[in-house]
Amino acid sequence: MNNIFDLAEQCLITSDLESKLEITRKARDLRQADGLTFSDSKPPLPIEQVRWPPGLQFVPPKDLPRRSLNAKTGRIALLHAVAHIEFSAILLHWDGLYRFRGLPTEYYHDWLRVTLEELGHFEMLRRRLSELGSDYGELPVHDGLWRVADDTAQDVLARLALVPRCMEARGLDVTPGMIERLEQAGDGASVKILRKILADEVGHVALGSKWFHRICRDRKLSPQPIYFDLLEQYFQGGLRGPFNRTLRLQAGFSQEEMDRLQAQNKQ
């Protein structure tokens, strides 16, 4: 099996965690060997058929454990939460290249690269959790990221606006604060991982900006108005700040977009 859409489907519909990771590693190896094909032979399955590992305990975000980072349990809770974001991102980006067909091959290459970078992030975090005596799945998680994927399953433009340019962009806002807190706690190993994730996520959001603008151009839409229309549709009233203006500008947001986000900040 070396077709990108078949690999994506297998990863998404299997419920076994290790199988999902192994399929993604296979895609990485095939990509390195230039052995992937991109033929679109059958339509995607409904997003409702995507499966999560059965051992995950989903709870509302307010019920997730929050502990001081000065204690090992607190650092485990933080890293577990980030690991779940990165695992969710693997599935989100697999779904984003699987579900939306008829786009330039460049689109699929771009988002496969992002999928593989998310795999690397997850593996680093999982190793760090193991060093701290834990593993992914040992704490509860929430499904906020996947709800956005489900909401945007019918339109690639909405998916690009809401996943890389909203949910992932939020990581640019909050990860520097996590890094600072871990530095204060003396956890240099975790700091190194989060610095790598942050650097890569700037690129992921930038790709979201690139494809959002390109598809807007193809549809003869003005990017800024449609972006805020989509935010209003899916997040009534706007987004909560604060926003990391510097990193968001590096990731393809315009000065005008940042001004408008900050003006409607729901703080």
Side-chain angles (χ1 to χ4, degrees):
M1 181 172 60
N2 62 353
N3 180 273
I4 189 67
F5 301 113
D6 291 341
L7 287 164
E9 182 174 293
Q10 288 302 309
C11 181
L12 291 167
I13 67 173
T14 184
S15 61
D16 181 68
L17 171 64
E18 300 303 333
S19 295
K20 287 180 182 291
L21 299 177
E22 190 54 41
I23 291 165
T24 309
R25 294 186 193 108
K26 179 179 180 179
R28 178 189 61 199
D29 295 344
L30 286 167
R31 176 176 179 264
Q32 290 172 347
D34 197 24
L36 284 170
T37 63
F38 294 81
S39 58
D40 182 0
S41 59
K42 59 181 179 179
L45 297 172
I47 197 168
E48 291 78 16
Q49 293 195 32
V50 175
R51 293 291 176 262
W52 289 82
L56 292 180
Q57 178 190 357
F58 286 94
V59 300
K62 64 181 179 61
D63 293 336
L64 293 176
R66 290 178 175 83
R67 305 183 182 105
S68 168
L69 296 190
N70 291 320
K72 185 171 77 169
T73 53
R75 296 196 296 278
I76 288 172
L78 175 64
L79 294 172
H80 190 279
V82 179
H84 179 62
I85 290 170
E86 298 302 318
F87 180 68
S88 299
I90 294 171
L91 300 188
L92 277 165
H93 293 309
W94 265 130
D95 191 78
L97 68 83
Y98 169 72
R99 191 153 308 285
F100 305 114
R101 306 295 175 90
L103 294 162
T105 304
E106 180 188 357
Y107 171 91
Y108 303 104
H109 281 291
D110 279 352
W111 292 109
L112 176 60
R113 176 171 59 81
V114 171
T115 304
L116 298 178
E117 288 180 358
E118 304 291 15
L119 171 68
H121 299 167
F122 179 74
E123 290 178 330
M124 287 189 295
L125 289 160
R126 201 175 184 196
R127 285 193 294 270
R128 182 62 182 143
L129 284 170
S130 178
E131 292 168 358
L132 294 171
S134 187
D135 193 12
Y136 178 60
E138 292 190 5
L139 293 175
V141 297
H142 71 86
D143 65 351
L145 275 173
W146 194 254
R147 286 201 304 271
V148 173
D150 191 53
D151 288 344
T152 58
Q154 303 305 315
D155 183 13
V156 65
L157 194 62
R159 177 68 66 88
L160 291 165
L162 272 294
V163 174
R165 300 198 89 230
C166 181
M167 306 303 285
E168 286 192 283
R170 193 72 189 126
L172 307 186
D173 304 328
V174 302
T175 305
M178 295 181 192
I179 291 170
E180 183 177 352
R181 292 168 62 207
L182 286 167
E183 285 176 330
Q184 292 170 352
D187 190 344
S190 298
V191 166
K192 183 177 180 181
I193 293 169
L194 289 194
R195 287 192 185 282
K196 168 61 174 170
I197 290 173
L198 181 60
D200 287 346
E201 293 296 342
V202 172
H204 299 177
V205 178
L207 272 181
S209 296
K210 164 188 163 179
W211 283 104
F212 181 78
H213 283 82
R214 185 162 170 179
I215 292 171
C216 281
R217 185 173 66 247
D218 291 344
R219 296 184 183 182
K220 297 180 170 51
L221 298 170
S222 180
Q224 184 171 316
I226 196 65
Y227 177 65
F228 284 96
D229 286 348
L230 288 165
L231 290 187
E232 179 63 30
Q233 179 181 345
Y234 290 98
F235 298 101
Q236 288 81 8
L239 302 176
R240 294 185 184 275
F243 303 107
N244 190 316
R245 190 180 188 99
T246 299
L247 292 182
R248 282 178 176 253
L249 289 172
Q250 290 177 24
F253 282 80
S254 68
Q255 295 282 3
E256 293 77 12
E257 284 176 321
M258 293 310 307
D259 290 343
R260 187 165 171 182
L261 281 171
Q262 290 173 324
Q264 66 179 34
N265 188 357
K266 288 180 61 178
Q267 280 187 304

